[in-house]
Amino acid sequence: MSTTANTIIRPDMRFTCLQDWLCWQESLHNTAIKLGLDRCRTVAERMGLLKPDFKIISISGTNGKGSSAAMLDKSLRQMGFKVGTYTSPHLLTYNERISIDDIHIDDDSLCHTFERIDRHRGDISLTYFEFGTLAALDIFHAASIDIAVMEVGLGGRLDAVNILDADIALVTTVDFDHEVWLGHDRESIGREKAGIFRPGRLAVCADRDPPCSIAEHARDIGAELYRAGIDFDFSVNPTDWSWRGHGKEYTHLPLPGINRRQVQNAAGVLMVLTLLLEKSPFNSRAIYTVLRDFRLAGRLQSIPGETPCLLDVAHNPQAVAALVDHVQEISGAGANHLIIGMLKDKNHAAVFTLLQPIADRWYVADINSDRAAPATELAQALAEYVETDNISLYPNVALAIARAQANARPGDRIIITGSFVTVGAAIEYLDS
């Protein structure tokens, strides 16, 4: 996907290779995560990106953002809209983060927009994520899209995506993650997530039990909030589900993919679509098609084989609890070989405690990230809960999978989790 008919690589560009741009961006700012809007907003203003002529849907939340973004993207495209989608992090390649009509942006177009950002930033030091957010907006402007689906990276209020005023803001779930930046209680975290709401504009909360701060913030600024369980609701049956809200009702909806826990995300998406398209033709059949066919890489992804693998990017307690519930529902008589690699800023103790009931043997792997927790440290923490004889360490995910496959007996399963980086490495190895 190109932003123009012919993307021109200027001879005076800082870099002409995407990987060189990304490595440079990682080292440009003094910290990998630096919340705040001033830097990104200033550069966006210089580039003329702050007043887009397309609709903006912003999505924040602890879990479910990527799934909700994917459902919105697929539904809106089914209805004939040209859609730009910005998500993070990626599993295999950076290009996954920015797509137009489900086509990932190509390397040349990314280099072109990075060069444009670099020229306009002057002496402003941008983070890796801020570069990506500005790149998405620049590419969407050039492509003349109808709607942008923008996933917040961390929090909401001070995340780079929040330089834009969302036409509709969606909060998926609120739970514990990134507490150092967002706060150590759900009320504080909820207030950060609700920071993407805007006065006089639409907002949706898909969490049936949100912290009070969500509704309080909406009321304080005058946002028009629609809440799951109050303004819209859903009920789940063994083979389908139903949704009602805003004068509409849909019954016998397909469960999204294999995971009935995706219904909460789908319910929030349906509310967003109902509000967004209130004055436009609404193709309800498109929703059925999207839900019936919904799959998302790395989310309870099953890979068949002599020893089947289950991949899930769960990296916080809420997501890990959902993974555990799913495994307990499908488990047979065989053993579960659990491969895990995590970032160092995650709650390792809570994750290990939750995973214990489904892990018969642990394989702790180093992962390729500057923010990774060393496998030795993870294993030391895990030894507080598990016999050390049941823990083995590996320098990478590929070797951990190979050993688990060698150890597995008929009927066993391999579970790979803990981080997008872990699951991405697993997909790369299993596809090779």
Side-chain angles (χ1 to χ4, degrees), residues 136-363:
L137 295 178
D138 191 39
I139 288 165
F140 293 164
H141 272 262
S144 300
I145 63 169
D146 300 313
I147 300 171
V149 178
M150 306 286 293
E151 179 186 345
V152 166
L154 194 160
R157 181 176 64 93
L158 296 176
D159 184 87
V161 167
N162 205 32
I163 62 172
L164 295 176
D165 295 327
D167 294 281
I168 300 184
L170 169 64
V171 175
T172 55
T173 62
V174 180
D175 209 82
F176 295 97
D177 200 3
H178 301 296
E179 291 95 327
V180 171
W181 294 279
L182 306 181
H184 294 273
D185 58 85
R186 286 186 81 232
E187 294 298 333
S188 299
I189 296 169
R191 196 169 292 109
E192 293 295 324
K193 305 291 186 189
I196 64 172
F197 297 171
R198 290 295 189 272
R201 298 202 179 184
L202 299 163
V204 174
C205 179
D207 195 322
R208 271 178 163 167
D209 183 29
C212 296
S213 56
I214 297 284
E216 288 171 356
H217 182 68
R219 184 179 61 249
D220 289 346
I221 69 168
E224 187 177 342
L225 177 63
Y226 292 80
R227 295 163 290 177
I230 298 175
D231 304 294
F232 67 98
D233 210 353
F234 58 93
S235 57
V236 185
N237 306 311
T239 59
D240 59 22
W241 64 290
S242 301
W243 183 93
R244 61 188 177 279
H246 209 55
K248 296 184 182 294
E249 185 171 5
Y250 302 100
T251 59
H252 305 298
L253 292 164
L255 295 172
I258 61 170
N259 182 10
R260 66 181 57 248
R261 290 167 191 81
Q262 287 281 14
V263 169
Q264 178 177 325
N265 297 325
V269 165
L270 264 176
M271 190 70 249
V272 169
L273 291 171
T274 299
L275 294 170
L276 182 70
L277 305 176
E278 190 168 18
K279 298 178 182 179
S280 305
F282 190 102
N283 182 359
S284 59
R285 293 308 310 171
I287 302 300
Y288 284 80
T289 301
V290 168
L291 293 173
R292 183 196 65 206
D293 300 336
F294 185 74
R295 297 289 188 279
L296 191 60
R299 279 70 162 186
L300 296 181
Q301 179 182 357
S302 181
I303 298 182
E306 187 174 343
T307 305
C309 294
L310 180 67
L311 283 62
D312 195 80
V313 296
H315 53 268
N316 58 54
Q318 185 185 57
V320 171
L323 168 62
V324 170
D325 287 347
H326 177 74
V327 171
Q328 289 175 330
E329 286 176 3
I330 64 173
S331 279
N336 290 323
H337 300 256
L338 196 140
I339 297 170
I340 191 164
M342 298 186 71
L343 300 182
K344 56 191 171 186
D345 61 347
K346 300 302 176 182
N347 189 337
H348 306 142
V351 167
F352 295 154
T353 301
L354 287 165
L355 288 172
Q356 261 190 285
I358 64 165
D360 296 297
R361 188 161 181 174
W362 294 78
Y363 303 73

Side-chain angles (χ1 to χ4, degrees), residues 14-15 21-22 24-29 32 39-40 43 47 49 86 94 97-98 110-122 124-139 160-161:
R14 186 183 294 273
F15 305 106
W21 274 109
L22 297 177
W24 174 73
Q25 289 170 25
E26 287 177 330
S27 64
L28 178 63
H29 201 75
R39 296 180 307 278
C40 200
V43 179
M47 297 177 68
L49 303 178
Y86 175 55
Y94 185 92
R97 296 181 177 224
I98 303 172
L110 280 167
C111 290
H112 179 83
T113 196
F114 285 153
E115 190 268 343
R116 184 165 137 77
I117 294 165
D118 192 27
R119 281 189 287 117
H120 281 85
R121 72 179 181 88
I124 295 175
S125 176
L126 297 171
T127 67
Y128 181 89
F129 186 79
E130 287 168 339
F131 256 97
T133 303
L134 290 167
L137 295 178
D138 191 39
I139 288 165
V161 167

